[in-house]
Structure formats: structure tokens, C-alpha cells
Amino acid sequence: MFKHAQLQSVKAWMSDPAHGALSLHVRIQRAIRQLILDGALPVGKSLPASRPLAQSLGVSRDTVEAAYSQLHAEGFIERRVGSGSFVSQRARHLPRRQQKRETRCDEPPQLSRRAMAVLQSGGVNNFQGPRPFAPGVAETRHFPLAIWERLERQVYKEFGTQALEHSAPQGMACLRSAIADYLNLERGAQASADRVLILTSSQQALSLCAQVLMDAGDQVLVEDPLYQGTRKAVAAAGLEGVPVPVDENGLQVERMAPLAANARAVFLTPSHQYPTGATLSLDRRLQAIEWARQQRAWIIEDDYDSEFHYEGRPTACVQGLDPHERTLYIGTFTKSLFAGLRIGYLLLPPALVAPMTSARTLQDGHTASIAQLTLARFMEGGHYSAHVRSMRALYAARRDMLAELVHKHLRAFLAPSIPAGGLQMPCHFVQDLPEDAVVRAAHAARIDLLGLGSLYASPRNDAGLLMGFAALTPGEMRVAVGKLAKVFAGLK
């Protein structure tokens, strides 16, 4: 029979608001199961008959019978005709809660070498708008949601339940065709629908490139400073990332061969280098293409936000200049539309389409069909280009506003480097300040900043902050700069 404490434990379980969505018999069954797992009901212990337990709990006998039947089916109790119900002999093998707690404390998880390399490469900041100054966060309040909703309804009307099915691993043909047309027109690419692979993000594209094109231990060239997502992809694939310095003209291509004579690839952000915002000069683009030809290596071009160039038209992409088909072009709609869309893509050399598509199927199979079909119509109808033009003007004004506010209110601490494009602005310290302490203090004030020094392979003297401006209105920016001024004042 139950002791008073055990009966009270079952009643507490039944009355707990957290379990309110469960039916009565499930609450009773789980309460008794927990008593067994905790060792409060030992092996062989007899349970109360269903009628008196029902009376004690204020429920029907059928409710208790249903709970007992479930416990019996799961193997927690034995039911003997004419004798009653007892805690099963199998319960002697159940781990006790205290034992599990000790295991968690004493034994660290056994991770693979790849996982350890990822952890040691530093955490990727999980910026969630609309916290002020989070880098790379796009404005969504100006998105033409009514148009998107109308196009999505059209998709449902035309495709019906087919829109709920799996997409082809390479992606919907209509979206691949729309992306190819856009890249040819706007980025000067050499694109066709059959060379486009639809993915869920640019991060997935980076990971696929690192895992499919190279073997663990191979050398790859990376920019210094470097986007953290690229660092993660390189570490996860077990590659040796060799940093190449960046200056005002982008990656110093002439230093690539001396630094790593046997490198298999180079990761580039040529339109807006992350985080400096520098644009890779034309002569360096051509040098990189020749390097890849001679080395039989790959250029992995991450064109994550080239739509937002504020000083004339953006430079044509490297892929469009490469006659040797050694360049893989990565694009994403996370920055140009909205992060929740979860669509990115790879423009591939013909020989890589099949292996990349096969490798992608091992990760997540496909990208959601409804989103692809809706985005294809959004692009085909001219809405994508119109939205990008509108946001380009808005972001340029916000970039200038941030530069003005930093100069006016934070010039004792920061000097902005106004970028020609992108969604974030690098700002360097004008006095000796602890970068990590500034970032932590700002985070405590609900401001998301990224330390520039954390993006370098080796310590640098030009420490500072990367400040996103795209998702903030002028009023929100003024308030946030005021808070940041107080953060700096508190560090003196």
C-alpha cells in the first residue's frame, strides 16, 4: 500500500498546473512511474487496489485502472490475478535519479576531434533582432508582407497538397531559374538553372564546400579577419585554415601562395569583406582566378549581402570573371528578405552539381517547397528587385545616421569606418579599452555588439566593435547610442 507521503506525491502531480493538459489517468500513471524511478516504490512493492486508490484520489475506478494498465504495458508493474499489482522485477535495472545526477557531474561528454575543434574555434554569436546593433540583421518591418501572402495563396491554389510534399534535392526548377536570371543580370554571373543548388542557408553552403571539396588536414586560405561561420565550417571539416591579411583593397592575394603552397581552396567575401567592408579590387580578383587555375584549387565566393552597395553599382562577382569554372558562388536571402525564409543557394561549376546535391541529401534532404514556390513568384514578378532597391536607399540613410551619431556622441571612444555597402559598420577604439569587457557590458544593457578583435586569427592593436545598423530606425538608433554612451562611461 501507499504511504501517506507517496499518496501526497501522486496528488501533487495531479494538481500541478504544468500537467494540466494531461488526462487524469496519464497524470496518475506518470506520478506512480516517477515514484518507481526515484526508488520510492521498490521492486516487489504492492500497489493499492484500484477502488481504494480511486477513492483516495477522488477519481473514478476506471481512471485508476487505465493508469495501471499503462504502467503494466510499459513494464513498470506486474498484475497478478487474485493478488493485485506490484512493482515489476524489471525496475531493479532502472537507473536512479541520484545516479544520473552523479554521472552528469563526473563524466564530461566524449566528443569527436571535429567537435572539439569547432568548440575551440569560438562560438558563433546567435544574434536575434531587434536588439540594437546586432550585425547582419535585416529590417523586416518594411517587407511587403501583403504581396508575399497573396503569392503564397496562389501557390496553395495552384499546387494544392503537392506544395506540402518534398522538394527535389537540388531545389524547385522555377526558383533555380529565377535565381540564375537574377545573378546574370545583377551580378554579372555565368549562371543557368541546372547549376543552382537550393539550400537552407549560406552557412550550409559553407559547410558543404568544406566537407565535399577537401579532406581533413588539407590547407585552405581564409581572410584575416574572418566571418565566424566560415571559421566554424573549416574547423568542423578538420581543415587547416591559413589566415591571409586583409587591407583596404580586400584579401592580399599576392601572399596566398607563400603562406600555403598546397592550399586546396580560398574562402572570399569579395563584395563586402566581413567585417571590414573592403571590396576586393579587380586586379586581385583576376589574380585569385589565376591562382585557382594554376593550383587546381577552388574559390569559394560568399556574396552574402552584395545587394546592398551604396557607392554606385557593386563590382561584378568573381564567378562571372572566372573562365576556368573553379569558383563556387554562395548567395542567401537572409539579408535581402528575412531570416525566417531559410533559403540560400550555391551556383556551382557543372562538374560539382551532382556530388554537392548528393552530399546535401545527407544533411537535410531538401528545402521547404512552399517557400521556394512563393519566392520564385516574388522574384518573377519583379517584387524582389523592387524591395532590394527600396531597402538599399533605407540602409544607406541608416548607415549615415549611425556614423553621425557615433561621431557626435561616442567620438571619445569610437571612430567609424563608413563601409561602401553591407549591413554593419566597423568602429575602432580611439583609446585603449578592453574589447571583451565592452561587449559584455553592452550585452548586459541589451545591446548586441561583436568585437572586431575576436574575428582575427592573431591579436591586433586595432580593436573595436562591429555595429549593425540595418534593423534600427533613427529614433531607435538614438536611444541605443545613448545607452552605449553610458556603457562606455561606466568603464572609465
Side-chain angles (χ1 to χ4, degrees):
M1 293 296 178
F2 278 175
K3 295 179 181 178
H4 175 74
Q6 294 165 347
L7 184 61
Q8 291 304 115
S9 178
V10 175
K11 288 182 177 180
W13 233 93
M14 293 175 62
S15 61
D16 189 338
H19 307 145
L22 301 175
S23 60
L24 275 176
H25 83 273
V26 173
R27 288 186 239 174
I28 296 170
Q29 176 255 331
R30 299 223 179 145
I32 296 174
R33 183 180 67 180
Q34 195 59 55
L35 289 171
I36 295 172
L37 289 171
D38 291 344
L41 293 177
V43 172
K45 173 72 175 179
S46 64
L47 302 183
S50 58
R51 190 184 303 278
L53 181 57
Q55 292 173 348
S56 298
L57 298 177
V59 299
S60 71
R61 183 184 180 188
D62 288 344
T63 299
V64 174
E65 279 293 332
Y68 279 2
S69 294
Q70 184 63 30
L71 287 165
H72 176 66
E74 293 179 357
F76 286 95
I77 68 172
E78 299 170 356
R79 309 200 74 180
R80 305 170 192 165
V81 178
S83 299
S85 301
F86 304 84
V87 177
S88 171
Q89 292 294 320
R90 300 174 186 172
R92 71 172 68 253
H93 303 296
L94 292 172
R96 298 290 179 252
R97 180 183 293 177
Q98 182 64 31
Q99 292 173 340
K100 289 195 290 187
R101 183 182 298 119
E102 291 172 356
T103 299
R104 287 196 298 268
C105 293
D106 297 338
E107 298 180 12
Q110 297 298 311
L111 302 178
S112 68
R113 286 190 293 271
R114 290 187 302 275
M116 293 301 297
V118 169
L119 290 175
Q120 292 167 5
S121 69
V124 174
N125 286 284
N126 185 25
F127 291 126
Q128 302 286 335
R131 284 167 68 109
F133 303 131
V137 178
E139 172 63 82
T140 56
R141 289 168 289 190
H142 288 251
F143 182 75
L145 191 58
I147 294 175
W148 186 270
E149 289 176 335
R150 174 170 57 83
L151 296 175
E152 191 172 64
R153 287 195 298 270
Q154 290 178 8
V155 168
Y156 281 117
K157 185 175 181 179
E158 178 177 340
F159 291 90
T161 56
Q162 289 183 354
L164 309 180
E165 297 175 357
H166 281 72
S167 163
Q170 192 176 341
M172 293 288 190
C174 56
L175 179 56
R176 291 189 283 111
S177 179
I179 289 173
D181 290 344
Y182 174 80
L183 293 178
N184 289 331
L185 178 65
E186 297 292 339
R187 301 297 295 119
Q190 304 176 61
S192 57
D194 60 321
R195 296 173 62 175
V196 176
L197 172 61
I198 305 298
L199 302 169
T200 55
S201 66
S202 57
Q203 186 62 47
Q204 185 183 31
L206 288 167
S207 296
L208 274 174
C209 291
Q211 294 169 9
V212 173
L213 301 179
M214 289 153 277
D215 292 312
D218 282 349
Q219 288 186 326
V220 295
L221 295 160
V222 297
E223 297 167 326
D224 189 25
L226 175 67
Y227 170 55
Q228 289 177 312
T230 302
R231 181 177 288 118
K232 286 284 186 180
V234 168
L239 307 176
E240 179 189 348
V242 180
V244 182
V246 169
D247 61 24
E248 65 277 6
N249 292 313
L251 185 85
Q252 297 179 16
V253 176
E254 67 279 4
R255 300 184 63 175
M256 288 167 45
L259 285 170
N262 299 314
R264 297 282 302 279
V266 58
F267 286 83
L268 289 177
T269 52
S271 293
H272 307 133
Q273 198 278 330
Y274 191 95
T276 67
T279 297
L280 190 66
S281 62
L282 178 60
D283 59 334
R284 290 186 178 181
R285 292 171 187 243
L286 298 177
Q287 290 173 28
I289 290 170
E290 178 59 18
W291 170 86
R293 183 193 70 81
Q294 292 181 5
Q295 289 279 111
R296 296 195 57 78
W298 302 103
I299 298 172
I300 300 168
E301 179 179 12
D302 185 1
D303 213 23
Y304 61 98
D305 67 358
S306 65
E307 293 86 0
F308 303 116
H309 199 81
Y310 312 125
E311 312 295 339
R313 290 186 61 82
T315 308
C317 65
V318 173
Q319 193 271 351
L321 300 172
D322 180 6
H324 313 298
E325 297 183 335
R326 307 295 304 179
T327 302
L328 296 83
Y329 178 96
I330 298 174
T332 179
F333 294 97
T334 298
K335 305 293 188 288
S336 56
L337 293 180
F338 54 94
L341 182 58
R342 303 300 296 147
I343 294 182
Y345 57 89
L346 264 170
L347 175 59
L348 297 162
L352 292 181
V353 173
M356 281 287 189
T357 302
S358 296
R360 185 271 165 87
T361 61
L362 298 177
Q363 293 186 344
D364 61 353
H366 70 108
T367 301
S369 301
I370 295 170
Q372 290 188 69
L373 293 168
T374 305
L375 177 56
R377 293 185 179 223
F378 193 77
M379 298 183 75
E380 292 163 355
H383 307 297
Y384 179 72
S385 294
H387 179 64
V388 166
R389 286 194 299 271
S390 173
M391 300 310 290
R392 187 182 293 135
L394 180 72
Y395 291 163
R398 291 183 176 182
R399 175 201 63 170
D400 295 342
M401 172 63 72
L402 178 59
E404 178 183 334
L405 289 171
V406 169
H407 178 73
K408 183 176 181 180
H409 300 286
L410 301 174
R411 62 178 177 271
F413 309 102
L414 293 173
S417 298
I418 302 176
L423 308 182
Q424 51 274 322
M425 180 183 298
C427 297
H428 293 86
F429 293 147
V430 297
Q431 55 178 283
D432 188 18
L433 291 170
E435 185 178 277
D436 290 345
V438 173
V439 171
R440 286 195 302 269
H443 190 268
R446 300 190 61 78
I447 294 175
D448 280 334
L449 299 170
L450 185 59
L452 289 174
S454 69
L455 302 177
Y456 283 89
S458 54
R460 298 273 300 208
N461 293 325
D462 54 346
L465 305 171
L466 191 63
M467 302 177 68
F469 53 80
L472 295 173
T473 66
E476 291 167 341
M477 210 176 289
R478 290 190 190 95
V479 172
V481 166
K483 290 183 178 179
L484 189 55
K486 293 180 180 178
V487 168
F488 278 114
L491 291 172
K492 284 186 176 180

